[in-house]
């Protein structure tokens, strides 16, 4: 057998051995992706206290006025003249993270975020805001009126650090980025809460209901 043929056989045998080792290594590696926790699982452990969590390097975004939402009952004017009535309203705005998880007022998560923001910005943070009042509302004939309110909102971004006493999912520490959106104090960054009266024309079905029995020629309050 020639020297060249021996070299080729040796090279072939070496390549086959390397390939076999690669296959064996691939099949023996753990499925790390499947072993990793979701952000919801980590946040749940922060909330239960199983994980010792901190919300690191919080960054507050610019405040902005949130969307208007109906905060009162609706007043239907089935008369032929303007109807004026005092309507009470109430509104509660909470906080959610980027995955849609509710950050409950007074809960563990809210407390951790508040502690972090207070340490970094020297002012407290609230995960919810409640407000109520009353307002005179005038509704024209054949229209529906209600009160809407918009809350000043603000985003805070940071990194959750979760520490376990014993390894969980193979590690003592886990980290993930998160952004929480919640109510801001009125006047933050020059933005103010807003309360307005809104009206619209009645639909055909609503107009027909105005002609039914005791509703005819009267105003009707419908719960939101």
């Amino acid at each position: 057998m020639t020297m060249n043929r021996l070299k080729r056989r040796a090279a072939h045998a070496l390549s086959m051995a390397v390939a076999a080792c690669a296959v064996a290594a691939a099949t023996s590696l753990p499925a790390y992706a499947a072993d990793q926790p979701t952000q919801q699982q980590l946040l749940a452990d922060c909330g239960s206290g199983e994980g010792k969590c901190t919300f690191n390097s919080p960054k507050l975004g610019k405040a902005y006025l949130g969307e208007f939402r109906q905060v009162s009952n609706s007043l239907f004017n089935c008369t032929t003249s303007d109807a004026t009535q005092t309507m009470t309203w109430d509104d509660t705005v909470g906080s959610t993270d980027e995955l849609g998880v509710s950050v409950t007022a007074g809960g563990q998560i809210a407390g951790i975020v508040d502690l972090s923001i207070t340490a970094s910005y020297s002012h407290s943070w609230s995960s919810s805001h409640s407000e109520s009042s009353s307002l005179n509302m005038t509704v024209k004939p054949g229209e529906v009126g209600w009160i809407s309110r918009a809350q000043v909102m603000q985003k805070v971004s940071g990194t959750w650090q979760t520490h376990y006493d014993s390894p969980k999912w193979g590690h003592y520490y886990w980290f993930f980025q998160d952004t929480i959106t919640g109510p801001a104090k009125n006047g933050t960054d020059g933005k103010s809460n807003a309360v307005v009266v809104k009206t619209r024309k009645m639909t055909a079905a609503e107009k027909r209901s105005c002609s039914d029995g005791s509703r005819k020629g009267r105003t009707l309050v419908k719960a939101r």
Side-chain angles (χ1 to χ4, degrees):
M1 185 178 294
T2 64
M3 184 61 69
N4 287 338
R5 185 174 297 177
L6 285 173
K7 288 181 179 180
R8 286 196 299 271
R9 286 192 175 183
H12 179 70
L14 180 60
S15 64
M16 292 296 290
V18 170
C21 290
V23 171
T27 56
S28 64
L29 286 175
Y32 286 114
D35 293 340
Q36 290 183 356
T38 64
Q39 292 185 20
Q40 291 96 324
Q41 288 174 314
L42 292 172
L43 203 60
D45 283 353
C46 290
S48 68
E50 181 179 352
K52 297 177 175 64
C53 299
T54 55
F55 190 67
N56 301 329
S57 305
K59 294 183 179 179
L60 286 171
K62 283 287 185 181
Y64 63 95
L65 190 62
E67 295 183 357
F68 278 93
R69 302 182 304 122
Q70 182 172 346
V71 294
S72 75
N73 296 332
S74 298
L75 178 64
F76 289 74
N77 186 358
C78 296
T79 72
T80 56
S81 59
D82 290 356
T84 300
Q85 186 167 325
T86 299
M87 301 287 286
T88 60
W89 61 266
D90 64 88
D91 189 26
T92 297
V93 181
S95 299
T96 55
D97 82 339
E98 62 183 8
L99 298 173
V101 177
S102 176
V103 180
T104 306
Q108 182 86 353
I109 298 300
I112 294 171
V113 176
D114 181 37
L115 183 66
S116 178
I117 292 176
T118 300
S120 298
Y121 292 91
S122 299
H123 67 76
S124 61
W125 175 84
S126 177
S127 62
S128 68
H129 175 79
S130 296
E131 195 169 325
S132 62
S133 187
S134 59
L135 188 68
N136 285 336
M137 182 168 62
T138 299
V139 180
K140 292 186 176 300
E143 293 190 352
V144 185
W146 66 93
I147 298 169
S148 284
R149 180 178 180 275
Q151 169 71 38
V152 177
M153 305 292 287
Q154 196 169 25
K155 295 180 184 294
V156 54
S157 300
T159 302
W160 284 103
Q161 175 183 310
T162 307
H163 171 223
Y164 296 100
D165 291 331
S166 300
K168 191 169 184 180
W169 295 289
H171 293 277
Y172 285 98
Y173 291 91
W174 286 95
F175 302 85
F176 68 94
Q177 302 288 325
D178 197 12
T179 299
I180 297 172
T181 303
K185 185 178 179 181
N186 192 34
T188 302
D189 295 333
K191 301 296 181 180
S192 299
N193 299 329
V195 178
V196 298
V197 172
K198 292 193 174 184
T199 60
R200 64 169 174 81
K201 297 287 187 182
M202 287 188 194
T203 64
E206 289 168 344
K207 286 181 178 179
R208 285 195 298 270
S209 70
C210 278
S211 302
D212 294 341
S214 61
R215 296 179 180 179
K216 187 174 182 179
R218 303 182 64 180
T219 58
L220 172 67
V221 175
K222 185 177 180 180
R224 55 174 165 149

